[in-house]
Every structure is written in structure tokens, then in C-alpha cells.
Amino acid sequence: MERFSAETDGVAQRLREGMAGGVLSFPLTSFRGDGRLDLDAYRTYLTAQLATDPGAVFPACGTGEFGALDEDEYRAVVAATVEIADGRLPVVAGTGYGWAQALRFARIAEEAGADALLVLPHYLVAAPQDGLVEQLRRIADGTRLPLIAYQRGQVTFTADGVRRIAQIPGVIGLKDGHSDLDRLQRLTLAAPDGFLFFNGAATAEIQARAYATVGVPAYSSAVHAFAPEIADAFFTALRADDGATVTTLLREFYVPLVELRDRAPGYAVSLVKAAARLRGLPVGPVRAPLTDLGPADLADLERVLDTGLGLVGAVRRRTA
């Protein structure tokens, strides 16, 4: 018996092909200075992002400040993404909170034309494996869209948990943000053939080589949100086994970027938005509870960004 419907299997195959051919794009959500959603700016920004041919696009997820969006804003962002993607690549929208609220967003994403959903970690509390499995089962039962689970923070699956979620019709993969490679290897071995895995660690390029050793070469790239030239150069070098280029980019750009990111909570998003603004991209500020970078950190980010762009022969200011 087939685990998936033909439609779900088609989405999984498109994602598999996309993961093999490029980084996974997690676009920022554009806000005005007063905090309102700036949909026109988002359209401009996203058009430039998708022109660089990522493997798939994941709107309204962590980098896109899913937790700061209301339902109407979420609908607008997902619908705009579907329109601009125009079928050229899979659109995987974020959803989350408890299963009941996740289903509200899932239904909006369905109506907006998304291809699949990334189920972000649930709110606040830790939960046993039975609860994590049931959370996904309830979401899967209420939507026709395929689901990718995201383990990070309070969500951690065991090998048995992965076996169980992989049997839920519509659950097609797992994004890992824990970077526990021993555990991840056990999960990949427990999953059925064809189950999708990808590296979702913060600044995933830092650990991309290590993830590949346990059979998870695909990864999301926050750097793609502001410097696709760097993200694509790294991806190309990694796939070509160009160790010298990979090491140079890691040492001179990615590691300094991560050291800056780790200075304050929330910089995994705030820093990405600041770098995008330095490039003239119309993304605006972050929303509370995140905060934008202060002058000293912004100056350091500018230096790191210029170094990275110089390594790949790109310039800082670009037309969105």
C-alpha cells in the first residue's frame, strides 16, 4: 500500500529534487517603520530572492517571524509567495502553536495555494513522544497539505517517534535544528526510504559538512535571505567537494557571522534583517519581542558582510 497520495508524493518528489539542486530559502517578512506589514515591499524582496533559484521557499516560518503575524497578515504573505513562485518551486508555509491553532493557519495556507507545511515547534511546554506524535496526527487529519515536522527547542523525536510520525499519512519529512548528529543518524536509519530530512540548524552552513556525513546533505540557509551570492557559492563549493573554498568561506565569513549572531537572543533573525537592509533590500525592522541591532553590532555586521561579499566577488548594494 502506498503511504502517500499521488499529490502528496508529487510534492515530496519536488522537494527532494529542490533540495538536491539548491539551498532552501526562508524569506524575511517586510514591515514598515511603524510595524505594519509592507506587502508591496515583500513582493519586491521575494521576487529578487526567487530569481536566484533556491530549491524551495518557506514563507512565514522562523526567519519570516511567523509568531509575530496575525492570520490576515499570514494569508497575505503566503498568497503573495504562491503568486510570485508561480509553480516554479515548492512553497512550504509555516504553521505552529498547538494543533488547533496550527490547523487554522494550515487551512489559510491551503486556501492561499501552498504546497506543504512546516510544523514549527509548539508553544512553551515540553511533551512526551506520544504527545508529539498526536500533535502531528491531528494536524495531518485536518489538512490535505503534506507536513514536515521541525524538531528544535522543546521538540525532540526519538527513533521510535520518527517511525511513528512517518506512518502518519501526509507527514513527509523532518527538519532538524538540534545538531545532535548521533541522534540524527539514528533517526535517518529508523525512517522509511524516501522520508525527507534537512539541516535546519541556525546558520546551517557551519554544520553542513557534518550533516552530510550522516546522510543529510540538504539545508536551509538564513544567509540566502540577504546574500544569495554567498549562500550559492558555498552550496556550489560543497557539492563540488571544493574543500578549500568551503573552508575559506567558513573561516572568514560564516564563523564571524555566527559569533556576532550569538551576542544577543533573537539575533538569528534580527541580524539577518539588518544585513538585508545593509544591502538595500526592503525588509524593514523586526517586530517585538525581537529587537534590531545596536550601532556597534551593526558596524561589525557591516564588516563581516563586506568580507563575505568580497570573497565571492559581489557588491553590497544591490537592486531588489
Side-chain angles (χ1 to χ4, degrees), residues 163-177:
R163 290 189 194 98
R164 292 165 65 189
I165 66 171
Q167 293 306 311
I168 299 172
V171 177
I172 62 173
L174 178 76
K175 177 183 180 183
D176 175 67

Side-chain angles (χ1 to χ4, degrees), residues 44-300:
T44 299
Y45 163 73
L46 185 66
T47 297
Q49 288 288 295
L50 298 192
T52 64
D53 296 324
V57 60
F58 290 67
C61 292
T63 307
E65 297 179 76
F66 167 78
L69 300 175
D70 68 28
E71 292 180 12
D72 289 338
E73 292 169 331
Y74 175 87
R75 185 189 310 274
V77 168
V78 176
T81 307
V82 170
E83 179 186 342
I84 293 166
D86 194 27
R88 291 174 292 143
L89 73 172
V91 175
V92 184
T95 191
Y97 306 115
W99 64 263
Q101 188 66 20
L103 276 175
R104 291 176 65 91
F105 284 97
R107 289 163 187 152
I108 292 170
E110 279 189 36
E111 294 167 2
D115 297 297
L117 295 165
L118 177 67
V119 181
L120 302 170
H122 62 268
Y123 175 67
L124 190 59
V125 294
Q129 292 297 296
D130 286 350
L132 296 179
V133 173
E134 184 63 17
Q135 163 93 336
L136 285 174
R137 188 185 311 280
R138 285 181 176 265
I139 298 171
D141 284 347
T143 178
R144 62 173 180 77
L145 296 180
L147 306 180
I148 298 171
Y150 186 6
Q151 65 166 14
R152 187 169 182 166
Q154 67 270 31
V155 176
T156 303
F157 286 99
T158 63
D160 182 63
V162 165
R163 290 189 194 98
R164 292 165 65 189
I165 66 171
Q167 293 306 311
I168 299 172
V171 177
I172 62 173
L174 178 76
K175 177 183 180 183
D176 175 67
H178 285 305
S179 304
D180 181 339
L181 297 182
D182 177 275
R183 176 185 291 271
L184 183 60
Q185 181 70 91
R186 296 167 190 262
L187 302 188
T188 63
L189 294 172
D193 291 345
F195 197 72
L196 302 174
F197 285 91
F198 67 95
N199 167 6
T203 319
E205 287 91 342
I206 288 285
Q207 300 184 66
R209 287 192 289 197
Y211 269 80
T213 66
V214 295
V216 183
Y219 61 90
S220 59
S221 174
V223 170
H224 185 273
F226 64 87
E229 305 96 327
I230 300 173
D232 290 345
F234 184 92
F235 181 88
T236 299
L238 189 66
R239 291 299 187 268
D241 200 24
D242 180 357
T245 297
V246 168
T247 298
T248 297
L249 286 168
L250 288 172
R251 180 185 294 120
E252 299 188 30
F253 172 72
Y254 282 99
V255 168
L257 184 72
V258 167
E259 290 173 349
L260 178 54
R261 182 203 71 200
D262 290 345
R263 289 184 185 177
Y267 267 20
V269 176
S270 300
L271 179 144
V272 173
K273 266 203 162 173
R277 291 194 301 273
L278 286 172
R279 302 209 67 195
L281 297 169
V283 297
V286 294
R287 274 183 172 173
L290 301 179
T291 58
D292 287 308
L293 275 63
D297 289 345
L298 188 61
D300 288 344

